Amino acid sequence: MVRRAVANTDGLAMTTPRHILKTVFGYDSFRLNQESIIQNVLAGHDTLAVMPTGGGKSMCYQIPALLFPGLTIVVSPLISLMHDQIEQLQEAEINAVVLNSAIDSDTYRSNMSRVARGEVKMLYMAPETMLLPRILDFLSSVKVSCLTIDEAHCISEWGHEFRPEYRQLALARERFPEAVCIALTATATPQVRDDIRRILQFESTNEFISSFDRPNLHLEVCMRQDGLAQVLDVVERFSDGAGIVYCASRKQVEQLTGRLRAKGVSALAYHAGLDDDTRAKNQEAFRLDDVRVIVATVAFGMGINKPDVRFVVHYELPKNIESYYQQIGRAGRDGLDAYCLLLFSYADIAKIGFFIEQMSQTEQRQAAQHLQTLIRYCESAECRRGPLLAYFGETHQSDSCGYCDNCERKQLPEIDLTKAAQKFMSCVYRTGQRFGASHVADVLRGSKAQKVLDLNHDTLSTYGIGADTPKAEWLFVANMLLQYKLIVQNEHGGLVLTEEAIPVLKNEQRFRCRVSAIAQKSRSRTAAAKKSNSKKSAVDHTLHNPDLFEKLRTLRTALARKKRVPPYVIFSDKTLIAMANDVPKTDSALLDIPGVGEAKLKKYGPAFLEILKIE
Ligand code: ADP
Ligand code: ZN
C-alpha cells in the first residue's frame, strides 16, 4: 500500500537525505541499505528494516522524519532508549520530544503543546502511552506523517522480548491512515521477521535485510581457567575502554564484581535482583563513562545504546547462539574495533545439562539443541564467523575472516610442548583423573598446599617434577591440551585423558600447538610480572596522534560532565580520532570530519579548535 504522506520537498529543493546526512549528522556517505530504506519510506511504502546492532537503524527513520511535513511518532519499548535518542537528537538541534512517565508534568504538558503546534519532528513514546485513548485522540488532531516502530521484534511471540502492547499497534495504525510505517529490528530470525510483516501487513518486497556480519568484532573463545585473571587481562588491555562482562547467575555477578573491585577495577553490577533505582543508577553510570565495567546477567543490554563498548566477555556460557550474538553485538557499535571473549568450561555445560533435565520434555529438546550448537561453536577449530552467520541464514563469503582466534591461530608458528605435556598428563593420570588444572599444577610444582598433603599427592612420582616451571605456565599447558583435546574436563571440572593423549605419553608423537595472542599473553603475564606497559589504547590502530587524541578526549569528558550527558553524545571516538589524525584548523575543515554537523560545529567547534590550532 502506498501512503499519501510523501516527503514535502516544496521550497526545500536542496534538502535531500544526503544533504541532511551531511549537515545535520556530519556524515558523508550512507551505509549499506540506509539509502534504499530512506527512499522507500519517503516514497510512502511501509518498510521493514533488519540490521545488526550498530548498523545504523536510527538514521533510517530520523532522516525521513526531518523531510516529512508532519510528525513522526517513534514507538520504543524502553524509557532509557528513548532518553538516549532524545539526548543525541537534541545535541544536533533537532526538535524531538518524549512522552512517558519519567518526565515531570510541566515538561509533559509543554511537549504536548509543542507537538500540537507542529514544532516537533519526532515524538518518542512507549506503546502503552500511545495506546491511551486520550493520546490517540490527541494524535488524531495532529498531522502524522510517519509511524516508526523501533525494536519491532517485540511484536512477535517468537522474539525474545515479546511485548503484548506492541501487538495492538497494528490496530492503532488505522487511526493514522496517511502515515507511512517503518519497523526496525536487529533480530534476524526468519520466523520473527515473518511475524512482524504479517501483523503489520507489510509487503515482503519492502523488506531490507542487511548482512549480520560485524567485521569489527574480534571473536575469541577460550577455556575458563583462572576466570578472574582472564577478565583482568581483558580489562587491562583496554585500559581506557568500557566493557560488559556477562555471567549466568546473579550470584556470579555479585561475586565477580566484588573481586574485580578488590583488584581496583571500576566495576558495577547489574541484574534483575537489584532494586530499580540501583539498576538505573548503575546503567547510567556506565552510559556516562563514570564506571568502566558492568558485570551483568542477560537482564542488561537492551536499554543501552552506548556505541563505544570496547569489549564483551562471557564469563559463562550464554543461553544460545542467538543471545550470544545479540550480546556481543553490543560491542563496537561505533564501527571501531571491539573484542569479544567467550570463556568456556565443561563444568558450565554439566550445570546447564542438569537444569535441562529439570525441564518439561518439549523445553528439554530445544534447550539441549541450543546447548549442542553452542558446544560445537566453542569446540570448533574453523572460522567463528561461519557458524554464527549460518545461524541467521547467511553464508560468510570466505572460510577465513582473519579476525577470530581460529583464523589467527592458523597463521601462528607452531610451538613444541611435548615434554611439558607429558609431565602434565602423567600427573593427571597419577592423581586419578579427578582434579582440575590448578591442583595438578600444584602437585607438579611440589606444593605443600594442604589439599596436596591431605591426598598424599606428595608421595606420587610426578610430585615436584615441574618445580622449575611457574604455575601460570602449567595452566597454559593445560589450556593447550584441552584445546587440542588431549584432555577433557569431566562434569566436575576434573581433567581426564583422551585417546589422543596416549601416543604423546608413549613418546610416539610430539605435541605441537599454535597459540593465540591472548593465550600467549596470559602465559607470559605472571612470568613477565607485567613489566612492560602492554596497555593498548582502545582505538590505537587507526590513530596516529595519541597525545592529541587524549587532549581532545579530556575536553570532551569535561564538556560531557558539565552537561551530564555521555561523552559519545558530544562526539564519538571515531570523530575524535579523525580530528587527531587530520588536525583541522578551520570551521570548514572541522565540518569535513565525520560526525561534525552544523549544530555541533557551532556549539563545540570553538573549544575543539582551540586545542587543534596549537598543534
Ligand atoms: P543501531 O540502532 O542499528 O544499533 P545506530 O543507529 O545507533 O545503530 O548507529 C550506530 C552508530 O553508527 C551511531 O554512532 C551512528 O551515528 C553511526 N552511523 C549511522 N549511520 C552512519 C553513516 N552513514 N556514516 C557514519 N556513521 C553512521
Ligand atoms: Zn575467522
mmCIF file of all heavy atoms in Angstrom, residues 541-556:
data_model
loop_
_atom_site.group_PDB
_atom_site.id
_atom_site.type_symbol
_atom_site.label_atom_id
_atom_site.label_comp_id
_atom_site.label_asym_id
_atom_site.label_seq_id
_atom_site.Cartn_x
_atom_site.Cartn_y
_atom_site.Cartn_z
ATOM 1 N N HIS A 541 44.697 1.383 16.482
ATOM 2 C CA HIS A 541 45.288 1.056 15.194
ATOM 3 C C HIS A 541 44.989 2.060 14.076
ATOM 4 O O HIS A 541 45.697 2.128 13.091
ATOM 5 C CB HIS A 541 45.023 -0.390 14.780
ATOM 6 C CG HIS A 541 43.777 -0.559 14.003
ATOM 7 N ND1 HIS A 541 42.581 -0.773 14.615
ATOM 8 C CD2 HIS A 541 43.543 -0.516 12.674
ATOM 9 C CE1 HIS A 541 41.649 -0.860 13.682
ATOM 10 N NE2 HIS A 541 42.211 -0.717 12.508
ATOM 11 N N THR A 542 43.960 2.873 14.257
ATOM 12 C CA THR A 542 43.722 3.895 13.235
ATOM 13 C C THR A 542 44.249 5.260 13.672
ATOM 14 O O THR A 542 44.221 6.215 12.922
ATOM 15 C CB THR A 542 42.216 4.051 12.946
ATOM 16 O OG1 THR A 542 41.531 4.142 14.196
ATOM 17 C CG2 THR A 542 41.677 2.887 12.150
ATOM 18 N N LEU A 543 44.726 5.300 14.890
ATOM 19 C CA LEU A 543 45.094 6.586 15.485
ATOM 20 C C LEU A 543 46.586 6.866 15.325
ATOM 21 O O LEU A 543 47.416 6.058 15.705
ATOM 22 C CB LEU A 543 44.724 6.522 16.980
ATOM 23 C CG LEU A 543 45.020 7.729 17.835
ATOM 24 C CD1 LEU A 543 44.199 8.930 17.370
ATOM 25 C CD2 LEU A 543 44.696 7.425 19.285
ATOM 26 N N HIS A 544 46.901 8.038 14.740
ATOM 27 C CA HIS A 544 48.322 8.353 14.549
ATOM 28 C C HIS A 544 48.875 9.260 15.640
ATOM 29 O O HIS A 544 50.065 9.329 15.839
ATOM 30 C CB HIS A 544 48.534 9.063 13.203
ATOM 31 C CG HIS A 544 47.876 8.351 12.070
ATOM 32 N ND1 HIS A 544 47.984 6.991 11.903
ATOM 33 C CD2 HIS A 544 47.069 8.804 11.075
ATOM 34 C CE1 HIS A 544 47.277 6.634 10.841
ATOM 35 N NE2 HIS A 544 46.700 7.710 10.331
ATOM 36 N N ASN A 545 47.997 10.022 16.275
ATOM 37 C CA ASN A 545 48.488 11.001 17.232
ATOM 38 C C ASN A 545 47.789 10.836 18.584
ATOM 39 O O ASN A 545 46.870 11.580 18.925
ATOM 40 C CB ASN A 545 48.234 12.409 16.658
ATOM 41 C CG ASN A 545 48.914 13.478 17.479
ATOM 42 O OD1 ASN A 545 49.318 13.233 18.628
ATOM 43 N ND2 ASN A 545 49.033 14.671 16.919
ATOM 44 N N PRO A 546 48.236 9.847 19.365
ATOM 45 C CA PRO A 546 47.539 9.546 20.617
ATOM 46 C C PRO A 546 47.529 10.706 21.619
ATOM 47 O O PRO A 546 46.566 10.867 22.356
ATOM 48 C CB PRO A 546 48.307 8.363 21.195
ATOM 49 C CG PRO A 546 49.341 7.980 20.213
ATOM 50 C CD PRO A 546 49.361 8.946 19.094
ATOM 51 N N ASP A 547 48.590 11.518 21.613
ATOM 52 C CA ASP A 547 48.622 12.607 22.593
ATOM 53 C C ASP A 547 47.516 13.621 22.327
ATOM 54 O O ASP A 547 46.815 14.068 23.232
ATOM 55 C CB ASP A 547 49.981 13.326 22.559
ATOM 56 C CG ASP A 547 51.065 12.404 23.093
ATOM 57 O OD1 ASP A 547 50.698 11.418 23.773
ATOM 58 O OD2 ASP A 547 52.259 12.650 22.812
ATOM 59 N N LEU A 548 47.386 13.958 21.042
ATOM 60 C CA LEU A 548 46.344 14.912 20.681
ATOM 61 C C LEU A 548 44.964 14.308 20.963
ATOM 62 O O LEU A 548 44.068 14.973 21.486
ATOM 63 C CB LEU A 548 46.475 15.296 19.196
ATOM 64 C CG LEU A 548 45.414 16.262 18.653
ATOM 65 C CD1 LEU A 548 45.323 17.531 19.485
ATOM 66 C CD2 LEU A 548 45.707 16.609 17.189
ATOM 67 N N PHE A 549 44.832 13.039 20.648
ATOM 68 C CA PHE A 549 43.571 12.345 20.913
ATOM 69 C C PHE A 549 43.212 12.456 22.398
ATOM 70 O O PHE A 549 42.081 12.764 22.761
ATOM 71 C CB PHE A 549 43.688 10.875 20.497
ATOM 72 C CG PHE A 549 42.460 10.053 20.797
ATOM 73 C CD1 PHE A 549 41.313 10.175 20.026
ATOM 74 C CD2 PHE A 549 42.449 9.168 21.868
ATOM 75 C CE1 PHE A 549 40.177 9.418 20.299
ATOM 76 C CE2 PHE A 549 41.310 8.408 22.149
ATOM 77 C CZ PHE A 549 40.180 8.535 21.365
ATOM 78 N N GLU A 550 44.200 12.232 23.246
ATOM 79 C CA GLU A 550 43.961 12.326 24.692
ATOM 80 C C GLU A 550 43.488 13.713 25.097
ATOM 81 O O GLU A 550 42.604 13.868 25.928
ATOM 82 C CB GLU A 550 45.216 11.952 25.486
ATOM 83 C CG GLU A 550 45.372 10.462 25.755
ATOM 84 C CD GLU A 550 44.082 9.770 26.205
ATOM 85 O OE1 GLU A 550 43.393 10.306 27.100
ATOM 86 O OE2 GLU A 550 43.740 8.718 25.637
ATOM 87 N N LYS A 551 44.105 14.738 24.502
ATOM 88 C CA LYS A 551 43.696 16.114 24.832
ATOM 89 C C LYS A 551 42.247 16.357 24.424
ATOM 90 O O LYS A 551 41.467 16.950 25.167
ATOM 91 C CB LYS A 551 44.600 17.127 24.107
ATOM 92 C CG LYS A 551 45.964 17.280 24.753
ATOM 93 C CD LYS A 551 46.755 18.376 24.047
ATOM 94 C CE LYS A 551 48.244 18.093 24.152
ATOM 95 N NZ LYS A 551 49.026 18.750 23.113
ATOM 96 N N LEU A 552 41.898 15.873 23.220
ATOM 97 C CA LEU A 552 40.533 16.066 22.735
ATOM 98 C C LEU A 552 39.540 15.303 23.612
ATOM 99 O O LEU A 552 38.454 15.785 23.922
ATOM 100 C CB LEU A 552 40.420 15.598 21.277
ATOM 101 C CG LEU A 552 41.306 16.343 20.277
ATOM 102 C CD1 LEU A 552 41.306 15.628 18.922
ATOM 103 C CD2 LEU A 552 40.838 17.790 20.104
ATOM 104 N N ARG A 553 39.983 14.141 24.030
ATOM 105 C CA ARG A 553 39.139 13.311 24.890
ATOM 106 C C ARG A 553 38.885 13.974 26.237
ATOM 107 O O ARG A 553 37.777 13.956 26.767
ATOM 108 C CB ARG A 553 39.881 11.998 25.131
ATOM 109 C CG ARG A 553 39.053 10.788 24.997
ATOM 110 C CD ARG A 553 39.998 9.611 25.045
ATOM 111 N NE ARG A 553 39.800 8.925 26.307
ATOM 112 C CZ ARG A 553 39.114 7.789 26.409
ATOM 113 N NH1 ARG A 553 38.592 7.231 25.340
ATOM 114 N NH2 ARG A 553 38.970 7.211 27.556
ATOM 115 N N THR A 554 39.931 14.565 26.784
ATOM 116 C CA THR A 554 39.798 15.243 28.068
ATOM 117 C C THR A 554 38.799 16.394 27.951
ATOM 118 O O THR A 554 37.952 16.589 28.819
ATOM 119 C CB THR A 554 41.180 15.775 28.523
ATOM 120 O OG1 THR A 554 42.107 14.694 28.410
ATOM 121 C CG2 THR A 554 41.149 16.284 29.937
ATOM 122 N N LEU A 555 38.920 17.130 26.847
ATOM 123 C CA LEU A 555 37.974 18.225 26.633
ATOM 124 C C LEU A 555 36.549 17.681 26.535
ATOM 125 O O LEU A 555 35.619 18.206 27.141
ATOM 126 C CB LEU A 555 38.343 18.983 25.350
ATOM 127 C CG LEU A 555 37.311 20.016 24.877
ATOM 128 C CD1 LEU A 555 37.118 21.128 25.905
ATOM 129 C CD2 LEU A 555 37.730 20.623 23.525
ATOM 130 N N ARG A 556 36.408 16.593 25.779
ATOM 131 C CA ARG A 556 35.078 16.006 25.606
ATOM 132 C C ARG A 556 34.500 15.569 26.960
ATOM 133 O O ARG A 556 33.337 15.825 27.266
ATOM 134 C CB ARG A 556 35.159 14.801 24.672
ATOM 135 C CG ARG A 556 33.817 14.137 24.432
ATOM 136 C CD ARG A 556 33.944 12.940 23.527
ATOM 137 N NE ARG A 556 34.726 11.860 24.135
ATOM 138 C CZ ARG A 556 34.863 10.662 23.605
ATOM 139 N NH1 ARG A 556 34.309 10.385 22.440
ATOM 140 N NH2 ARG A 556 35.574 9.741 24.205
#
